[in-house]
Amino acid sequence: MNSVSIAQKNFRGSVAVAPQQKSARFPARRTVARRVQASAQVSDEGFELMRKGVKVAAEETILTPRFYTTDFDEMADLFDLDKNPNLRMDELEAMLNEFRRDYNQTHFVRNDTFKAAADKISGPTRKIFIEFLERSCTAEFSGFLLYKELGRRLKDSNPVVAEIFTLLSRDEARHAGFINKALSDFNLALDLGFLQKNRTYTFFKPKFIVYATYLSEKIGYWRYISIYRHLQRNPDNQLYPMFEYFENWCQDESRHGDFLAAVLKARPELLNDFQARMWSRFFCLSVYITMYLNDHQRTAFYESLGMETTKFNQHVIVETNRTTERIFPEVPDVEHPEFFNILDKMVECNQKIVDIGKSNAPDFVKTLQKLPAILGIATGCLSLFFGPTKRVGSADIEEEMAVQY
């Protein structure tokens, strides 16, 4: 079965759109999640099941993959060709032709080695592997929903940008379907239609969506390619054949990021003022901190691949930051000696919070016990935000602004 049919199979029965907005002015975050009733069914690995073979989604936390929505009308206005006659479309039109080529159309084709490899993974490694697949599938599916709706909503105002978003959603659907099929090798699956209807959606203004998704795609590229290169050098750690697909897979992530960079260049006012610098710094740190804390909660997964979690994370952050310097007007100086020292202290605070959460103390006692660690993370965030930065960005942005306006 090819990747397209896998994606179609997994998404059948669900409407692939983000939640509809009732107004452009709706709260910064709205919750549509409904708690799943406790189930007596449990998998061999100890995961709660919605029904046979279908895993209950992991509990949402500040570090789990998010589903996003935005003001789609404002986004349509941002790229409306009638309202923005000076909108630079040459690079975007070139990128549309690139996406139409669909380089990975036949790449995501499974073989018999998948199930055989999954059957050999056992014990705690099997459980953390399933958790990795679930997080990855949820993140890809989130991108699919957002891009699909953007493609639909921008169709009238800017057909070129709309079609590119639709093609991005094609790629994300392919990735999510491929991962969900991988979960079936472990005798589990996610109900993606249920996730779509019951997940918490975070609202971001259009420009913030562009910043956040650009970083998400680029950091995804560096994560995938770094894992792929490590396993090519250390084939004995290749526990599961999905990783062999990461070289081509990560090129999708990179192309997505390049498109979002072109979107920013087409609207250079998103890059050229003080607010843009502050938001660029904020979103960089949000993505880096989230990944660093999240991955250090799951060091066993990276160790199972023969990797050191800290070195892997630091490498990914440094490379992502260097890539981001080409477009964002300002980024944190992640190569400053204190940057990762602060992150490591935040990891210690986060681990204390996790440990307290697992204790048998009453909830109000746990809350009090967590306060010093929460304060430590907050202090770390502020230290990084107001720490050393680098004024960078595309050299031609200010020149383009002078010519255009």
Side-chain angles (χ1 to χ4, degrees), residues 29 37 78 82 93 102 104 114 120 127 133 162 178 207 226 258 263 267 271 279 288 315 334 351 373 390:
R29 185 176 173 92
Q37 295 298 317
L78 200 62
D82 293 331
E93 289 168 352
D102 195 7
N104 283 334
F114 279 74
K120 293 178 182 177
K127 184 171 184 178
L133 291 174
F178 192 70
K207 66 178 180 180
S226 299
D258 290 344
V263 165
R267 297 304 310 234
L271 296 169
W279 285 118
Y288 301 162
H315 168 74
V334 302
Q351 187 57 50
K390 299 170 73 174

Side-chain angles (χ1 to χ4, degrees), residues 12-56:
R12 189 171 296 144
S14 68
V15 182
V17 297
Q20 302 290 316
Q21 281 183 260
K22 295 181 180 179
S23 165
R25 294 176 173 272
F26 78 72
R29 185 176 173 92
R30 72 184 183 94
T31 302
V32 296
R34 295 192 295 271
R35 298 292 297 167
V36 180
Q37 295 298 317
S39 171
Q41 298 186 66
V42 178
S43 73
D44 292 340
E45 299 80 15
F47 295 113
E48 186 180 357
L49 302 178
M50 294 176 63
R51 54 186 182 274
K52 185 178 179 181
V54 180
K55 184 183 179 301
V56 171

Side-chain angles (χ1 to χ4, degrees), residues 356-397:
I356 292 168
K358 293 178 181 178
S359 72
N360 295 322
D363 288 345
F364 77 93
V365 174
K366 289 182 183 181
T367 300
L368 291 175
Q369 291 174 333
K370 289 177 181 179
L371 287 178
I374 293 172
L375 180 60
I377 291 178
T379 301
C381 289
L382 290 173
S383 298
L384 292 176
F385 186 81
F386 292 106
T389 61
K390 299 170 73 174
R391 289 289 301 272
V392 286
S394 179
D396 57 354
I397 291 295

